[in-house]
Amino acid sequence: MPGKSYRSLHDLAADQHGYFTVPQAREWGVNRMALVMMARRGTVERVSHGVYRLVQFPLSPLGQYMEATLWPGGGVQGVISHESALSMYEVSDVSPAKIHVTVPRTFRTHRVVPAHLVLHRAELDDLDTDVLEGIPVTTVERAVTDCASAHLGAGLLREAIADGRRLGLLTRAAAQRLRLQLLPA
């Protein structure tokens, strides 16, 4: 029968695709030594600095995105952005090699950024963000704008706008505004 610490972590991780951070575990009453013991027993695995996954949870295709949003730590949660956001929404044929995460401009770390992440710094407001499958992600409109600033090809931008409109993720006005502002005539 699972112990109190495991049950707490299970409740915490259930809404996060099986992932959690050390500070979150602490908030749920699980101390660092309990985490160390669970890792030794193979109940949890450390996936990156300060981020763990309950092994019992099946691996999810979206798990890597959840891990990426939790990685910044220290009370900062990243937001999936740029091509990674377009990929999550399944608009356009983008296939980013790395996961793009936006953190606040003031975010600083002494840790090495994992090779599979690309960090962007920007201040996002509530109108720029959404939650998809429990994962913070920029809106399609913000993702298209960010991708244009990062010089994503016009064809992929056109496709993202068209797919976003077709799927109801962009209003007609937003799609038109993006086309006029970002695409060559």
Side-chain angles (χ1 to χ4, degrees):
M1 178 190 255
K4 180 182 174 193
S5 292
Y6 179 84
R7 287 191 305 275
S8 292
L9 290 178
H10 187 277
D11 291 345
L12 165 63
D15 293 332
Q16 298 184 154
H17 298 270
Y19 293 83
F20 62 92
T21 65
V22 173
Q24 287 177 328
R26 196 175 315 116
E27 287 174 23
W28 283 66
V30 179
N31 65 40
R32 188 175 290 273
M33 188 45 109
L35 278 179
V36 168
M37 296 308 293
M38 288 178 175
R40 285 185 185 156
R41 288 191 302 268
T43 306
V44 300
E45 67 177 341
R46 182 178 180 263
V47 292
S48 62
H49 183 84
V51 181
Y52 286 80
R53 186 181 81 81
L54 280 174
V55 175
Q56 173 211 6
F57 275 82
L59 287 172
S60 160
L62 297 176
Q64 63 184 345
Y65 295 114
M66 180 55 75
E67 175 200 345
T69 66
L70 295 174
W71 179 82
V76 173
Q77 186 167 37
V79 178
I80 302 300
S81 62
H82 295 73
E83 297 111 86
S84 299
L86 296 180
S87 181
M88 279 188 71
Y89 285 112
E90 298 180 350
V91 295
S92 88
D93 286 332
V94 295
S95 182
K98 296 182 177 192
I99 298 173
H100 294 257
V101 179
T102 296
V103 295
R105 289 186 199 283
T106 56
F107 174 76
R108 297 291 179 260
T109 183
H110 296 293
R111 297 179 284 147
V112 174
V113 177
H116 68 283
L117 298 182
V118 176
L119 288 187
H120 302 275
R121 288 179 170 77
E123 298 308 322
L124 299 173
D125 62 35
D126 290 343
L127 296 176
D128 292 326
T129 62
D130 203 350
V131 176
L132 185 63
E133 301 282 338
I135 300 168
V137 59
T138 58
T139 61
V140 171
E141 186 172 356
R142 176 64 191 237
V144 169
T145 302
D146 287 342
C147 286
S149 296
H151 308 293
L152 185 67
L156 289 171
L157 292 173
R158 267 190 206 90
E159 188 177 31
I161 294 167
D163 288 350
R165 180 70 192 115
R166 182 179 48 79
L167 295 170
L169 300 168
L170 287 173
T171 64
R172 179 178 291 132
Q176 184 64 21
R177 186 173 52 254
L178 289 169
R179 280 189 210 97
L180 289 172
Q181 288 176 350
L182 305 176
L183 297 174

